Amino acid sequence: MRTTFRNILFNREANRKMLAVLLDPDKCCGRILSATISALKTDLPDFIFVGGSHTLASTDTFIDLLKEETRGKVVLFPGNAAQFSTRADALLYLSLISGRNAEFLIGQHITSSVAIKKSNIEVIPTGYILIDGGKPSSVEYISNTRSIPRDKKEIALSSAVAAELLGMKMVYLEAGSGANFPVPTEMIECVSAGLSIPLIVGGGIKNTTQLKEAFDAGADMVVVGNIFETNPEKISEFLACTRSYKIEE
Ligand code: 1GP
């Protein structure tokens, strides 16, 4: 069986785009959780990301439930070391490289590294780059870092290439959950053109037009969270759009 990362590379080489549905255990509970699970049972995305900037609920219980009910591939997208769970299929080992807060560049990694290694979970080192999404984001506030201005695509590119040269396996361009505006397409184009590793884009994507714009600009995977919390039935619509990108034989 291919690992999560090999799967991502395989899809990328085939020019097949990917959709990840982001669930925050703190927000996805009660009626929202039941509705989300039934939507995921109808149509499963490539990945289910689990995490949040200041999630308190147990990720273990949440992931167990998701795996039991949906059989989806669960990838941890942790806001801090406390959200680590051995129950997921893979872990995005995120380093907030757009910021200059050592705690989120390397501190949280040191706190969790030995437990992560012992668990044998698949670890995917990922350069996490925060872009101004038109309003202050939780990540910005919690991490006490500044986002890259929307018109500074060259700074986003330099940051992404630094991640690649440091040996990170993927880059995540993040406008912040619930952003007013997604990452600008010119920025995605610029970063994608200069990068040789998979590019993930997320934050503020509310409809399939924006989803398509991100894919067409060069995103290999798009992460969507907020809009599915109120409209889980939209998962199918977003998946149909994602699957309209052909597999090259
Ligand atoms: C946030 O990129 C993700 O970390 C998804 O953002 O919740 O705005 O879709 P939304």
Side-chain angles (χ1 to χ4, degrees):
M1 202 175 69
R2 275 196 299 267
T3 62
T4 300
F5 184 63
R6 284 192 61 80
N7 232 340
I8 292 171
L9 286 182
F10 179 81
N11 287 335
R12 182 176 189 256
E13 270 157 35
N15 205 21
R16 181 178 173 267
K17 303 293 184 181
M18 291 159 273
L19 180 74
V21 171
L22 172 64
L23 304 179
D24 179 338
D26 266 2
K27 295 202 257 165
C28 192
C29 49
R31 232 178 289 164
I32 298 179
L33 179 59
S34 325
T36 305
I37 285 179
S38 76
L40 292 172
K41 275 181 169 168
T42 313
D43 213 350
L44 205 54
D46 298 277
F47 303 103
I48 303 172
F49 280 14
V50 170
S53 0
H54 58 294
T55 303
L56 289 174
S58 157
T59 39
D60 281 353
T61 323
F62 189 75
I63 294 171
D64 285 347
L65 177 74
L66 282 177
K67 292 197 75 79
E68 217 176 276
E69 296 280 343
T70 72
R71 295 167 179 235
K73 288 273 170 219
V74 176
V75 177
L76 272 175
F77 174 60
N80 56 52
Q83 288 173 32
F84 172 60
S85 163
T86 53
R87 312 293 222 281
D89 295 289
L91 160 73
L92 294 192
Y93 206 39
L94 299 165
S95 186
L96 180 51
I97 57 169
S98 53
R100 299 296 176 267
N101 181 346
E103 193 50 37
F104 291 91
L105 278 164
I106 185 66
Q108 293 288 314
H109 309 73
I110 292 171
T111 306
S112 53
S113 61
V114 174
I116 292 172
K117 186 154 187 209
K118 274 189 189 150
S119 76
N120 270 329
I121 194 170
E122 180 186 353
V123 177
I124 311 175
T126 302
Y128 188 60
I129 301 175
L130 192 57
I131 311 299
D132 177 15
K135 67 177 196 187
S137 66
S138 301
V139 185
E140 225 172 315
Y141 182 80
I142 299 283
S143 66
N144 199 16
T145 64
R146 291 169 68 186
S147 53
I148 296 176
R150 298 179 63 75
D151 60 348
K152 301 292 180 201
K153 59 182 182 191
E154 67 287 354
I155 299 180
L157 173 64
S158 304
S159 310
V161 172
E164 179 180 332
L165 297 181
L166 281 165
M168 293 179 188
K169 290 185 174 169
M170 303 200 288
V171 162
Y172 191 134
L173 288 183
E174 167 76 274
S177 189
N180 286 343
F181 315 107
V183 177
T185 49
E186 307 75 48
M187 189 179 266
I188 301 174
E189 272 165 18
C190 173
V191 171
S192 151
L195 204 63
S196 311
I197 54 177
L199 179 61
I200 306 176
V201 173
I205 293 179
K206 300 175 191 76
N207 53 53
T208 50
T209 306
Q210 291 170 325
L211 176 71
K212 209 169 174 332
E213 280 168 0
F215 283 146
D216 290 340
D220 297 300
M221 187 192 305
V222 166
V223 183
V224 179
N226 253 274
I227 192 72
F228 296 150
E229 279 167 23
T230 38
N231 305 278
E233 73 287 349
K234 279 189 187 278
I235 293 175
S236 285
E237 183 193 333
F238 276 60
L239 276 171
C241 172
T242 307
R243 290 178 188 137
S244 68
Y245 288 82
K246 273 195 255 132
I247 298 179
E248 280 171 19
E249 297 300 336

